[in-house]
Amino acid sequence: MNELLLMCLIAGRRAAIPAVRVQSVIEIDEITPIPATPDFICGLTALRSQALTVLDCSLALGLQSAGRGKGERAAVVEVDGHLYALLVEAAYDVGEARSEPIAVPGGFGPEWQRASTGMVETDGGPALLIDIAALVAGPVAIAA
Amino acid sequence: MDDLLADFVAETREMLEASGSELVAWEADPSDRARIDTIFRFVHTVKGNCGFFDFPRLEKLSHAAEDALAECRAGRREPDKALVTAVLAIIDRISDMTDAIEAGEDLGEGGDDDLIAAVQADADSDAECAAIPIEVKPQTSETPEGEDAAPKAARSGGGIQRSIRLPVELLDEVMKGVSDMVLARNDLARRLREAGEQPTIDGPFERLSAILADVRTAITRMRMQRLEHLFTSLPRLVRDLSNELGKQVMVDFEGGEVELDREMIEMVRDPLTHIIRNAIDHGIETPADRLRDGKREIGLLKFAARQSGNQISLVITDDGGGINIGKLTAKAVAVGLYTQAEIDRMSDRQKQALIFEPGLSTAEAVSSVSGRGVGMDVVRANIEKVGGSIDVSSKPGDGTSFYLQLPLTLSIIAALTVGAGGQRYAIPRSYVEEIVFGSSSHVDFAQAGDRRLVTFRGKRVPCLSLGEILGEETDNTFDWTAQTLVLVRLATDDVFALAVDRVYDHEDVVVKPIAPAIMDTKLYAGTTLLDDGRPMMLLDLPSIAAMRQLVSETRGKANAVEEVAQEETARSVPIMLFTGLDGRRRAVRLELVRRIDTIDRMAIDIEGARAQAVIDGSIFALVGQDRGALPDERCRLLRLSDGECELVYAVREVLDATEMAGEIVPVSGDPTIEGVTLVDGHPVPVIDGHGLFALHRAPRRESHPLSCRIPADSDWARTILEPLVEAAGYRVTHDDAEEADVAIMLAEEAAANTPAVARSVIRLRSEPDEDGQDSIYRYDRDGLLAALKQVRRGGVA
């Protein structure tokens, strides 16, 4: 199983996003906030004349956000025809998965459990494989 | 050629080209399943399309090939070389026929049966199979060649396509590219501005900008299609259906110029077709029934499209029998959708809406046209899938209307950009009725409970603050007078005021869909990019109003905004303050001012007492220029209008628009001044509009000028009299045969000639002191004009 994964840091934990789904990794420059939207939606940013919906991954999981600073990196993914920029605390390299995603007895904690398809072994140690669609749906929708 | 037919030919040819390589590959390996599938799809599509047109031979051929290939796919038959050859021969034949269809020729006769026999499974011996195609092939190629070489040449000429098909993604890609270019240009423009003026760069840059704007418009238009395109295919459909059902139906279209995204047009095609089928099948009665009911024999099916904001509304109306509610509800009970008790509680509207429920059809018999299980529920589902909505209203005996609301994904809408909480938002301009400053004295604010109200022009309307809607503001930070009010009128005729921090600009924006999580807020309809590349949200005003219960259920209710009693103690008149060329302050009633122009000094022509200014190719009388020296370069002009004609007033500076609270004190001595009023404690003379227009009013051009014949053979009449007569508003004619309204004759001639055909005659004499009862001295300008005027009044001289 040699799926390529984008290794990143979400809420202080190592996480992996399937690299085939990631169009690019960008540095978020300016975000236009959208009032009255759920917390995890930071706003919109423009990437080459396209508007991306910027999500804070930590908040989308239902965890505490580490707070954002300028120049933060985000993975651009497309879900149902809409482009999203997934803000992560750090984006590392693209690496190969060394194992199938597996469940761990006892789970990964309720928040992680919802938006993760399992744990994969990577060169840098175990990481949680993110389920992009579940992440984008946000904590409210997942709970529902 | 018929549009549909052209489409058919284009599509078939396209598939032929695409399958060309597949065919070759299949020949090399007849057992290749993937190839069989591709070719099967091709013949299947051709067969399907043929059924739509009337090409029985094409249909037979493709049907035979489809059968044979289907056998192979099902594993009942082993594809062999003979089959491949036979199928290829058929495809060649299809190609030939397609060419013939396009050229409008008759298809070559014969040979089809042999081809069909060749693909049939019972073609047993190899020798036979191989022989038949060989036998056949020359036949097919012979026919076109035998006729003439010319059609062939014409055909290859016709092969040059005037239109090409492009994947929509490619268009999107190009569109994106152009948008990026615009952003890059804007960036460059900013840098150039910062660097100061550079004539060598600025010129080419301007050109680049202009070209880019053109390209952008063109690309945008590429994606948009007039609804006409959809409409053109409907009359044919209606005709075929009504023939089939023995009814007579006429179609009427309105709003074909409304543009809709290409994809959206394709999306609504099927639902629309279905509604038409239903209308003709169930709605419109047979001619006999219609006559009996006192209607016209021919039924009417009407399509009306209209753009309102970011929605297209499409109304399909038939004048048939309407929905039979009794039958519909009975059926609903019969199939167990609702109980009779539930039905009884429903309003008529709800009952009508039952037709959107699955499994209901009021048709007594399932006809070949509709009622085959695909019902209005599927139509509704399809419309809703593209983000639209459908509604129905029906009157028994009078007909049925379907109301479709369709969104314009990726469409350009005219928007007003407003600011709230430090950010910009776009509002579809079609909703905006008026913009008022909160600080204006026309506006009163009131609060009833938690509801803010605005009184403007005697109407009290609810007021929403954008900042509050977006949750960015609390009551105590709210300051009415700092706000700008946008009066919004929704499609439902509900009016409310939206208070925003400021209004920026009008802009045409490309609206793109937004992520579902943002959609859930029900505040936004889409997103768009500003020129500097920043995203901006488009507000969904109908939804915002609906969330705050500002949309009334029945139309017109909102018009009940109460008329506030007009008991103003001092009626205030808006005036515009300016400084004249002499540097003195003056005022003019605001109603008189049409607009403010700034023109070049060169466009002003003054000679003695006559002064004129040229604006946009029209000449206007200029006043106020005698007050002082005109500026050297640019002149500010107030364009005043009395409703019919316009004149311009030269000013040094336009100061402000304000209220004239006090009364006007009349002054004597200066005829150009109506009086003097107090503005902020200072006396300001107010220009007398009446006096101005009385002096400088340009003669009104008659739309149907009276004709006047003047002698053609007199130089004096042509060069001196003619301009005068024309200036008096007459059309000059020299034609003796024409019956003119008035004829001017020179006295010496008049004696000789018999009076020409004219309703009245004016005679001119050449000497002043000559005694002439019925003639006018030729240089007596006033007398002549008076005579002409009398003719105009209808009095016969």
Side-chain angles (χ1 to χ4, degrees):
Chain A
M1 185 65 197
N2 290 328
E3 195 186 355
L4 286 175
L5 301 172
L6 173 71
M7 308 306 300
C8 53
L9 195 66
I10 297 173
R13 303 283 190 275
R14 278 177 61 87
I17 300 172
V20 282
R21 300 283 304 275
V22 178
Q23 295 187 354
S24 57
V25 174
I26 56 166
E27 274 187 12
I28 300 284
D29 192 20
E30 201 176 322
I31 298 179
T32 307
I34 314 170
T37 48
D39 278 351
F40 72 98
I41 296 175
C42 304
L44 293 177
T45 193
L47 171 68
R48 292 196 313 273
S49 77
Q50 276 178 301
L52 309 182
T53 309
V54 185
L55 304 184
D56 185 318
C57 283
S58 307
L59 291 173
L61 286 170
L63 298 167
Q64 287 292 313
S65 174
R68 293 189 296 106
K70 236 191 171 182
E72 236 180 317
R73 303 179 87 180
V76 178
V77 296
E78 188 178 323
V79 180
D80 294 333
H82 298 286
L83 286 170
Y84 294 91
L86 307 178
L87 268 182
V88 294
E89 277 146 45
Y92 309 115
D93 258 344
V94 171
E96 280 183 10
R98 295 285 172 222
S99 74
E100 295 278 348
I102 46 161
V104 169
F108 313 105
E111 290 85 6
W112 287 101
Q113 195 69 43
R114 283 181 206 127
S116 163
T117 46
M119 184 188 74
V120 284
E121 290 293 341
T122 65
D123 290 345
L128 284 174
L129 192 61
I130 297 293
D131 177 351
I132 295 175
L135 183 79
V136 162
V140 189
I142 298 166
Chain B
M1 197 194 303
D2 196 42
D3 269 357
L4 283 174
L5 204 54
D7 278 349
F8 166 70
V9 170
E11 194 185 345
T12 310
R13 185 165 290 147
E14 212 169 81
M15 285 190 298
L16 274 170
E17 274 164 26
S19 55
S21 57
E22 299 285 330
L23 289 171
V24 178
W26 188 41
E27 198 163 26
D29 179 10
S31 59
D32 189 336
R33 288 298 300 265
R35 308 283 175 240
I36 295 181
D37 285 352
T38 313
I39 296 162
F40 175 80
R41 272 199 297 278
F42 167 66
V43 287
H44 179 76
T45 314
V46 172
K47 193 191 90 171
N49 288 349
C50 291
F52 193 54
F53 299 96
D54 192 23
F55 296 133
R57 291 178 56 200
L58 214 45
E59 189 175 357
K60 238 197 242 160
L61 280 172
S62 44
H63 185 73
E66 188 193 1
D67 273 355
L69 290 170
E71 295 272 283
C72 297
R73 275 155 58 103
R76 282 195 293 275
R77 186 173 170 185
E78 207 50 48
D80 51 14
K81 229 178 163 105
L83 176 72
V84 173
T85 319
V87 170
L88 290 190
I90 286 187
I91 289 177
D92 280 349
R93 196 69 204 265
I94 292 175
S95 164
D96 285 346
M97 286 182 169
T98 314
D99 288 349
I101 290 167
E102 193 188 24
E105 298 164 5
D106 282 337
L107 307 182
E109 279 302 321
D112 295 352
D113 295 340
D114 297 340
L115 287 170
I116 291 166
V119 289
Q120 244 124 54
D122 48 4
D124 26 31
S125 94
D126 274 18
E128 216 179 312
C129 287
I132 292 166
I134 293 165
E135 218 177 296
V136 161
K137 273 230 154 155
Q139 214 173 347
T140 52
S141 56
E142 210 176 276
T143 337
E145 266 172 14
E147 281 170 18
D148 203 336
K152 195 136 210 190
R155 203 171 298 149
S156 57
I160 301 167
Q161 289 176 335
R162 280 172 189 278
S163 63
I164 52 165
R165 284 154 177 258
L166 292 173
V168 175
E169 296 82 59
L170 182 63
L171 285 182
D172 283 345
E173 194 94 340
V174 177
M175 177 92 190
K176 218 161 71 189
V178 172
S179 302
D180 285 345
M181 266 155 77
V182 171
L183 296 181
R185 187 206 70 95
N186 292 344
D187 194 25
L188 189 60
R190 205 177 53 240
R191 278 158 212 257
L192 282 177
R193 263 200 311 277
E194 282 164 10
E197 215 151 281
Q198 292 163 75
T200 50
I201 299 176
D202 288 352
F205 180 74
E206 283 298 311
R207 235 184 79 210
L208 177 75
S209 301
I211 295 169
L212 198 51
D214 287 350
V215 172
R216 197 185 189 188
T217 323
I219 301 274
T220 310
R221 273 182 35 220
M222 269 157 78
R223 274 200 63 116
M224 301 298 276
Q225 213 166 35
R226 283 168 159 239
L227 217 46
E228 242 163 35
H229 201 82
L230 177 62
F231 285 169
T232 47
S233 63
L234 300 181
R236 172 69 191 267
L237 178 74
V238 170
R239 187 195 142 274
D240 289 356
L241 285 174
S242 43
N243 276 358
E244 199 173 316
L245 296 163
K247 294 176 183 179
Q248 291 182 17
V249 183
M250 198 162 70
V251 269
D252 182 35
F253 298 108
E254 200 179 287
E257 74 286 347
V258 170
E259 288 197 326
L260 198 56
D261 192 84
R262 230 160 261 241
E263 264 177 304
M264 191 57 79
I265 286 193
E266 288 314 312
M267 295 295 233
V268 298
R269 197 185 282 273
D270 284 348
L272 207 56
T273 308
H274 195 85
I275 292 174
I276 294 169
R277 280 167 193 268
N278 263 340
I280 298 176
D281 198 8
H282 306 315
I284 290 173
E285 313 91 327
T286 58
D289 285 346
R290 291 182 64 89
L291 283 176
R292 198 193 55 219
D293 295 345
K295 294 185 186 176
R296 277 183 66 187
E297 220 178 330
I298 304 171
L300 181 69
L301 198 56
K302 196 174 161 185
F303 300 85
R306 193 165 63 90
Q307 182 173 1
S308 55
N310 51 352
Q311 297 241 303
I312 294 279
S313 62
L314 185 61
V315 185
I316 302 128
T317 308
D318 69 62
D319 65 346
I323 296 173
N324 189 330
I325 291 182
K327 230 188 235 176
L328 192 64
T329 49
K331 183 94 185 262
V333 175
V335 299
L337 275 172
Y338 293 97
T339 63
Q340 187 60 46
E342 279 173 316
I343 295 283
D344 291 342
R345 275 198 302 275
M346 284 184 181
S347 66
D348 273 3
R349 237 184 118 65
Q350 283 170 312
K351 283 179 190 162
Q352 281 172 5
L354 282 176
I355 66 159
F356 296 118
E357 297 285 342
L360 288 180
S361 170
T362 54
E364 281 149 24
V366 171
S367 70
S368 66
V369 176
S370 58
R372 272 176 299 198
V374 187
M376 292 303 291
D377 55 318
V378 178
V379 170
R380 181 165 71 172
N382 283 339
I383 297 278
E384 281 175 358
K385 203 164 68 192
V386 297
S389 67
I390 183 169
D391 200 1
V392 67
S393 86
S394 172
K395 248 187 175 169
D398 279 354
T400 311
S401 294
F402 285 97
Y403 301 89
L404 271 72
Q405 292 283 338
L406 300 168
L408 305 161
T409 51
L410 198 127
S411 59
I412 304 248
I413 65 162
L416 184 73
T417 48
V418 299
Q423 269 198 65
R424 286 188 190 203
Y425 300 92
I427 299 173
R429 202 157 73 201
S430 54
Y431 291 134
V432 177
E433 191 156 77
E434 201 160 358
I435 298 166
V436 196
F437 289 104
S439 54
S440 160
S441 61
H442 295 291
V443 187
D444 278 331
F445 298 102
Q447 188 132 9
D450 286 337
R451 168 73 67 219
R452 293 179 177 128
L453 296 166
V454 170
T455 311
F456 178 69
R457 293 234 180 92
K459 296 215 166 176
R460 191 165 278 165
V461 295
C463 176
L464 299 176
S465 153
L466 185 55
E468 185 209 308
I469 292 168
L470 302 174
E472 294 202 325
E473 154 191 286
T474 50
D475 262 346
N476 41 19
T477 62
F478 190 73
D479 175 20
W480 284 112
T481 49
Q483 299 270 306
T484 304
L485 300 173
V486 179
L487 284 183
V488 174
R489 182 182 291 274
L490 298 175
T492 47
D493 251 4
D494 294 292
V495 182
F496 68 93
L498 187 72
V500 298
D501 289 350
R502 64 171 290 196
V503 171
Y504 288 96
D505 206 356
H506 290 305
E507 242 171 294
D508 286 339
V509 297
V510 178
V511 180
K512 298 207 173 148
I514 43 176
I518 305 175
M519 220 47 176
D520 285 345
T521 60
K522 292 190 176 136
L523 295 175
Y524 311 104
T527 176
T528 182
L529 293 179
L530 285 166
D531 274 350
D532 62 2
R534 277 182 300 144
M536 171 173 68
M537 302 305 291
L538 180 78
L539 295 174
D540 188 350
L541 291 178
S543 160
I544 288 173
M547 279 198 295
R548 280 162 179 72
Q549 284 94 42
L550 290 183
V551 179
S552 51
E553 196 50 52
T554 49
R555 271 176 65 101
K557 208 171 176 180
N559 285 345
V561 274
E562 48 190 292
E563 200 75 24
V564 173
Q566 294 271 2
E567 41 181 352
E568 294 169 57
T569 45
R571 223 182 90 77
S572 61
V573 178
I575 50 170
M576 179 180 271
L577 287 175
F578 62 90
T579 43
L581 294 176
D582 52 359
R584 287 185 53 84
R585 286 218 295 173
R586 276 191 202 86
V588 59
R589 287 174 188 264
L590 198 58
E591 270 103 3
L592 278 178
V593 181
R594 274 283 301 277
R595 51 182 293 174
I596 300 166
D597 290 299
T598 305
I599 62 165
D600 200 88
R601 171 69 182 86
M602 300 300 286
I604 294 178
D605 185 33
I606 299 174
E607 188 191 27
R610 178 188 63 84
Q612 265 143 357
V614 180
I615 304 171
D616 298 335
S618 305
I619 299 175
F620 294 90
L622 176 72
V623 289
Q625 90 287 355
D626 48 350
R627 299 279 174 180
L630 283 165
D632 289 336
E633 282 175 4
R634 316 286 292 166
C635 298
R636 299 283 263 173
L637 301 172
L638 300 180
R639 198 191 291 187
L640 310 178
S641 168
D642 67 349
E644 267 180 16
C645 68
E646 296 182 340
L647 54 83
V648 288
Y649 195 102
V651 300
R652 182 181 287 173
E653 201 184 344
V654 176
L655 295 174
D656 198 6
T658 180
E659 306 286 321
M660 181 162 64
E663 54 190 307
I664 296 186
V665 182
V667 288
S668 55
D670 189 346
T672 65
I673 298 297
E674 183 184 344
V676 174
T677 187
L678 281 179
V679 175
D680 301 332
H682 299 284
V684 174
V686 180
I687 285 177
D688 184 356
H690 184 270
L692 269 184
F693 281 101
L695 277 176
H696 298 278
R697 186 176 187 280
R700 194 156 47 109
R701 289 260 162 234
E702 294 291 329
S703 48
H704 296 289
L706 297 176
S707 57
C708 174
R709 182 170 46 247
I710 61 171
D713 47 0
S714 157
D715 282 345
W716 180 84
R718 262 210 315 280
T719 53
I720 295 176
L721 182 61
E722 190 174 319
L724 178 73
V725 172
E726 272 182 341
Y730 281 83
R731 184 173 58 83
V732 170
T733 171
H734 299 288
D735 187 359
D736 274 339
E738 186 185 336
E739 199 210 6
D741 292 299
V742 60
I744 296 180
M745 303 183 104
L746 304 179
E748 47 266 40
E749 288 178 21
N753 295 358
T754 48
V757 221
R759 273 186 259 137
S760 58
V761 175
I762 298 171
R763 291 193 174 75
L764 300 182
R765 60 176 190 270
S766 49
E767 294 303 320
D769 45 359
E770 209 174 286
D771 182 43
Q773 287 290 332
D774 52 354
S775 65
I776 303 166
Y777 170 46
R778 61 151 98 166
Y779 283 114
D780 179 2
R781 187 189 177 96
D782 292 342
L784 184 55
L785 287 179
L788 285 170
K789 211 172 193 171
Q790 193 168 0
V791 173
R792 164 144 308 186
R793 287 213 198 94
V796 177

